[in-house]
Amino acid sequence: MSEEFKLNAEARDDLGKGASRRLRRLEGKVPAIVYGGKKKPASIMLSQKELSKQLESEAFFSHIIELSIDGKSENVILKDLQRHPAKGFTMHADFQRVSKTTKLHTSVPLHFLNEETAKGVKLQGGKIVHNMVQLEVTCLPADLPEFIEVDVADLELGNSLHISDLKLPKGVESVELSHGADHDQPVVSINKPRGMASDDAEGESGEAEGGEEEK
């Protein structure tokens, strides 16, 4: 984890939908909650401007964040974000406390490599299909990766890479695979584009044309 993320927050006692609307409209604040660990859930508010700037980085969504609440810091991860459906600004955020010695469960974005030069695309005319764009993992906070790379360079037409094919960083485990081999879901595939004839169809067409010529 190369980047460091810090957020300043204030505790809030004025709860409810009306209070949250006032925070967003009049004070430029985002209502949020912090939960988990041995402490009780705490209602807080953050600067909309400061949070928006941090959200510009993809790593913020899968990174340990140093959250300072009225001067007291604790480590958290972002668990949920609610945005306005039309205007896109943040309406509410959920943060989960993390401990250095306790494994956490979160989602990490997938970065796909060599898509344009993959065998099934460049040589066979296929189309990349992302079956998932993030992976649920469990690991200690110190081992949490910002992203997981998926190299499709050798992937051929009609084939897929599954979770078990991914090279996960040391200390990182897939949540799905922990449930058994039948949860080994496809991550990315190379499929035939619509209208692309199969080899069998082309062969049958050729045989039919040849048969008509013999007649």
Side-chain angles (χ1 to χ4, degrees):
M1 299 182 295
S2 57
E3 296 187 58
E4 293 185 359
F5 294 96
K6 297 181 179 180
L7 278 177
N8 294 307
E10 303 170 60
R12 65 185 180 100
D13 299 318
D14 191 7
L15 307 179
K17 291 183 178 180
S20 294
R21 282 195 294 269
R22 284 194 296 274
L23 280 177
R24 291 190 290 264
R25 186 175 66 252
L26 302 178
E27 300 183 39
K29 301 287 186 179
V30 178
I33 189 169
V34 185
Y35 62 89
K38 297 180 180 180
K39 298 180 181 180
K40 294 181 179 180
S43 296
I44 60 173
M45 54 185 175
L46 309 139
S47 163
Q48 178 78 252
K49 184 177 180 180
E50 183 181 0
L51 180 59
S52 296
K53 183 177 180 180
Q54 299 283 32
L55 290 173
E56 292 176 359
S57 173
E58 180 192 47
F60 184 77
F61 293 85
S62 58
H63 205 287
I64 304 301
I65 303 161
E66 183 182 332
L67 182 65
S68 178
I69 306 174
D70 294 332
K72 296 181 180 180
S73 295
E74 51 189 331
N75 291 330
V76 300
I77 58 173
L78 178 65
K79 289 297 290 185
D80 191 35
L81 198 68
Q82 297 175 23
R83 298 182 187 270
H84 190 280
K87 299 180 180 180
F89 64 82
T90 303
M91 298 181 65
H92 193 274
D94 291 5
F95 297 93
Q96 180 183 341
R97 299 184 183 98
V98 297
S99 166
K100 293 181 179 179
T101 58
T102 303
K103 286 189 174 183
L104 54 88
H105 177 167
T106 190
S107 295
V108 175
L110 300 176
H111 282 192
F112 296 90
L113 307 179
N114 301 310
E115 290 187 315
E116 294 182 0
T117 57
K119 289 182 179 179
V121 174
K122 188 173 183 178
L123 301 179
Q124 300 168 320
K127 180 181 179 181
I128 293 282
V129 176
H130 297 149
N131 303 103
M132 57 177 68
V133 294
Q134 58 184 15
L135 182 70
E136 285 188 85
V137 302
T138 179
C139 63
L140 290 173
D143 296 326
L144 181 62
E146 293 180 4
F147 56 84
I148 295 171
E149 293 184 343
V150 183
D151 191 347
V152 299
D154 296 324
L155 190 60
E156 297 187 353
L157 184 66
N159 293 339
S160 302
L161 289 179
H162 290 71
I163 297 175
S164 61
D165 296 315
L166 303 183
K167 294 181 180 179
L168 301 183
K170 185 178 179 180
V172 179
E173 299 176 351
S174 161
V175 172
E176 285 295 329
L177 289 185
S178 69
H179 299 312
D182 56 336
H183 286 260
D184 190 12
Q185 300 178 16
V187 175
V188 58
S189 309
I190 297 185
N191 297 343
K192 294 178 180 177
R194 289 182 178 180
M196 182 179 179
S198 66
D199 293 338
D200 291 342
E202 290 175 354
E204 290 174 2
S205 175
E207 290 175 4
E209 290 174 357
E212 291 175 359
E213 289 177 0
E214 290 177 3
K215 290 179 181 179

